[in-house]
Amino acid sequence: MQSLKVKIYIAGHTGLVGSAVLKELTRKGYKNLVFKSSKELDLKNQKETEVFFKKERPEYVFLCAAKVGGILANSSYPAQFIYENLAIQNNVIHFSYKYGARKLLFLGSSCIYPKLAVQPIKENSLLSGYLEETNKPYAVAKIAGITMCQSYNAQYKTNFISAMPTNLYGPGDRFDAETSHVIPALLLNFHRAKKENKKFAVVWGTGKPRREFLYIEDLAKALVFLMKFYNGPDIINVGTGEDISIKELAYIIKEVVGFKGSIRFDASKPDGTPRKLLDVSNIRSLGWQPEIPLEEGLKKEYRWFLKNYARK
Ligand code: GDP
């Protein structure tokens, strides 16, 4: 991506990641960006996807299109999570190869690692143990995508790289009490509790699991950076290298929202994996690091929520 004129396709440009990548590429001055909404192009459909690639022949592909969701969405819709992700990535990776893309970046997730991986999790712990059950169908699809990129590189000499981001958050998140990830779910939950003058708000699980969170604009910068400078066959972690407990997170979000009531933990809801902290020494040694601290990112996301969601 040395020239600003190269043709870049952002698959999934309306999602949390894709929209941030599109914004970052535009900010950097790339002029030949291609994107289609899922209404115009269904990436699960092999024929439609081939017609698109044959016509557009993008040189660089950011594969950010995916079916994603929080812990409950994953366990409620396991079939959709495995089918849709396999179908999308199968089509985009294969046709990127067939129509000559110079490079593709596949987006994985930190849930591809074994549930009890040694922390912080190194890239080479992939496939070294059992997966967390709550998001296994999603994780298996993502592992298939990684293996597909590596296999195409080995057999067809493509340059398809895979980045594994930690839990993401920021403007563009989906706010839904049932299917969101923890940060948007708690922003929404505490916001409602504040409006309704509730005495307490309920947080799922024991509060003990630990998670690492990366602000979406930091991720977008990392992905553009990797597309430019990383060509290795191995997957590469993208995170902050720091984690906090869900309990600590809940108290910070309570402050950010300004909810005055108390917090109750509902241990009947799943905790998921106990800890998920990435070892980010590889991307750091290449020269990338995040810029936005958690509290600042949460404040930005809450402002965005107030503007875009609160009145709906
Ligand atoms: P995970 O990282 O794949 O487990 O995804 P989530 O973001 O859905 O959940 C992270 C952690 O936050 C889990 O331990 C959840 O039990 C906990 N959590 C607490 N309250 C909520 C909530 O309202 N929604 C979600 N999604 N998770 C919550």
Side-chain angles (χ1 to χ4, degrees):
M1 296 212 306
Q2 310 316 343
S3 149
L4 294 173
K5 290 188 201 135
V6 291
K7 192 173 209 175
I8 307 172
Y9 171 45
I10 304 110
H13 78 284
T14 56
L16 177 66
V17 177
S19 59
V21 168
L22 178 58
K23 214 168 115 189
E24 176 62 12
L25 290 169
T26 308
R27 191 184 71 83
K28 283 198 163 282
Y30 287 95
K31 300 195 182 345
N32 198 355
L33 306 176
V34 183
F35 42 87
K36 291 255 184 259
S37 71
S38 52
K39 280 206 188 87
E40 294 168 290
L41 169 61
D42 177 6
L43 293 171
K44 297 190 292 306
N45 184 305
Q46 196 175 27
K47 271 219 175 84
E48 275 185 42
T49 310
E50 177 155 25
V51 167
F52 168 77
F53 270 88
K54 199 171 177 179
K55 177 169 174 266
E56 295 290 348
R57 294 177 190 263
E59 298 171 79
Y60 292 86
V61 176
F62 284 88
L63 178 35
C64 309
K67 170 134 186 99
V68 298
I71 193 161
L72 202 65
N74 268 273
S75 46
S76 310
Y77 313 110
Q80 280 168 270
F81 272 83
I82 191 159
Y83 168 69
E84 293 184 23
N85 285 304
L86 282 174
I88 292 169
Q89 68 203 32
N90 214 34
N91 291 334
V92 175
I93 294 170
H94 183 69
F95 294 124
S96 292
Y97 148 67
K98 189 169 172 188
Y99 295 100
R102 287 159 70 172
K103 192 163 179 181
L104 173 144
L105 187 152
F106 175 66
L107 211 77
S109 154
S110 58
C111 72
I112 57 149
Y113 291 115
K115 173 174 183 153
L116 301 176
V118 176
Q119 310 279 325
I121 310 171
K122 286 195 190 312
E123 285 89 350
N124 65 9
S125 60
L126 176 63
L127 292 175
S128 65
Y130 293 106
L131 295 169
E132 155 63 30
E133 280 298 322
T134 51
N135 48 29
K136 190 167 157 191
Y138 176 77
V140 168
K142 289 292 183 188
I143 294 170
I146 293 165
T147 310
M148 198 165 160
C149 289
Q150 292 170 337
S151 306
Y152 276 56
N153 293 343
Q155 188 176 342
Y156 301 135
K157 308 289 173 256
T158 49
N159 186 6
F160 293 173
I161 61 169
S162 299
M164 298 308 117
T166 190
N167 292 41
L168 304 168
Y169 72 103
D173 239 336
R174 180 172 64 216
F175 289 85
D176 176 82
E178 291 296 311
T179 60
S180 296
H181 284 107
V182 61
I183 288 181
L186 292 187
L187 284 168
L188 177 67
N189 185 353
F190 289 154
H191 176 79
R192 285 185 179 158
K194 180 175 94 172
K195 290 264 153 211
E196 293 161 19
N197 284 318
K198 292 252 172 75
K199 291 216 160 47
F200 64 89
V202 177
V203 174
W204 296 353
T206 59
K208 288 191 188 125
R210 299 184 68 83
R211 295 288 184 273
E212 176 189 12
F213 297 100
L214 180 67
Y215 191 64
I216 193 64
E217 285 173 12
D218 277 334
L219 175 78
K221 286 181 184 165
L223 297 183
V224 173
F225 173 87
L226 290 173
M227 190 64 120
K228 282 172 102 168
F229 302 115
Y230 181 67
N231 297 305
D234 299 325
I235 60 176
I236 185 156
N237 288 340
V238 189
T240 62
E242 288 168 21
D243 65 354
I244 65 166
S245 72
I246 296 301
K247 184 174 178 184
E248 290 168 288
L249 174 74
Y251 279 95
I252 300 176
I253 295 183
K254 177 173 129 78
E255 278 301 307
V256 167
V257 171
F259 169 57
K260 301 278 183 265
S262 59
I263 295 177
R264 285 190 193 170
F265 291 91
D266 175 4
S268 72
K269 288 279 197 306
D271 266 345
T273 204
R275 196 171 180 209
K276 223 173 7 175
L277 176 64
L278 295 179
D279 182 320
V280 290
S281 32
N282 283 337
I283 191 164
R284 285 220 166 199
S285 67
L286 289 175
W288 174 86
Q289 60 179 58
E291 292 162 21
I292 310 282
L294 181 61
E295 217 174 315
E296 187 185 331
L298 290 171
K299 285 182 186 156
K300 281 173 180 253
E301 179 162 0
Y302 187 51
R303 277 202 295 275
W304 186 86
F305 164 83
L306 289 175
K307 228 165 109 189
N308 293 277
Y309 258 91
R311 268 173 265 107
K312 281 186 194 162

